[in-house]
Amino acid sequence: NMKALKVVIALLIMVNIFFNAKAQENKNTAQIKLITMKQFNEPYDLVFKATMSLMHSERYMIDETDYFTGLIIVSKEVYKKGKADIKEGFILVDKLNDELTEVKLSMYEGNVKPYYTGYYKTIDMNQDPEFYAKWFKHLYAEIQRRKALM
């Protein structure tokens, strides 16, 4: 199944980026988990669609989605002065029960610069608690906005 293959490839990319970033990790795993995960007392469908809507409104390209697994992969590139600033996000929306959904976000930031034989890419996981708190606040607002329309 092509869809299953895409999910496996996306997960392998996620694991690879995670382990590359792990070498430069400043916070321990428990701290990372606390800042990158939040639960919402809302149904899965609402949270999944609100997450996609939020990323779209924040001008991310939605590279891959899988409603069944809850995986959403996004990216953004901003080009300036011979380099590209990049952001790559991996979001997992997980249905815990009919009215409780957990969202996990891992955001990676870096850049791509020209190099002798091509390009050189550097990327690290964003570990700023304020970034994640703000993002989850925006997600909550988007959930509420969509709920009001239902």
Side-chain angles (χ1 to χ4, degrees), residues 123-140:
I123 192 162
D124 290 313
M125 182 179 182
N126 181 336
Q127 297 184 15
D128 179 13
E130 290 179 25
F131 167 84
Y132 290 97
K134 183 178 176 182
W135 188 85
F136 282 117
K137 184 178 177 182
H138 290 167
L139 179 57
Y140 177 79

Side-chain angles (χ1 to χ4, degrees), residues 21-129:
K22 195 163 179 70
Q24 299 144 3
E25 190 172 59
N26 298 330
K27 298 183 180 337
N28 68 39
T29 306
Q31 290 171 314
I32 295 291
K33 193 174 184 178
L34 280 175
I35 65 172
T36 62
M37 182 173 60
K38 187 160 180 66
Q39 294 177 353
F40 296 92
N41 291 312
E42 303 295 345
Y44 174 83
D45 185 64
L46 175 63
V47 176
F48 187 88
K49 289 177 180 174
T51 302
M52 288 192 30
S53 177
L54 174 62
M55 297 315 288
H56 180 265
S57 68
E58 291 184 349
R59 299 184 320 231
Y60 282 86
M61 285 182 41
I62 298 174
D63 300 321
E64 186 80 34
T65 64
D66 187 321
Y67 184 81
F68 180 73
T69 63
L71 181 65
I72 302 170
I73 301 174
V74 298
S75 63
K76 184 192 298 190
E77 296 180 5
V78 178
Y79 295 93
K80 55 185 174 188
K81 297 183 182 179
K83 71 171 188 158
D85 290 332
I86 55 174
K87 292 185 179 185
E88 297 176 355
F90 299 90
I91 307 158
L92 189 60
V93 181
D94 190 16
K95 178 181 178 178
L96 300 178
N97 63 46
D98 288 344
E99 292 298 321
L100 184 61
T101 305
E102 186 172 76
V103 178
K104 298 173 186 169
L105 169 67
S106 297
M107 189 60 71
Y108 297 84
E109 298 178 357
N111 56 56
V112 177
K113 297 177 186 173
Y115 197 62
Y116 298 110
T117 57
Y119 293 91
Y120 180 72
K121 179 178 179 179
T122 58
I123 192 162
D124 290 313
M125 182 179 182
N126 181 336
Q127 297 184 15
D128 179 13

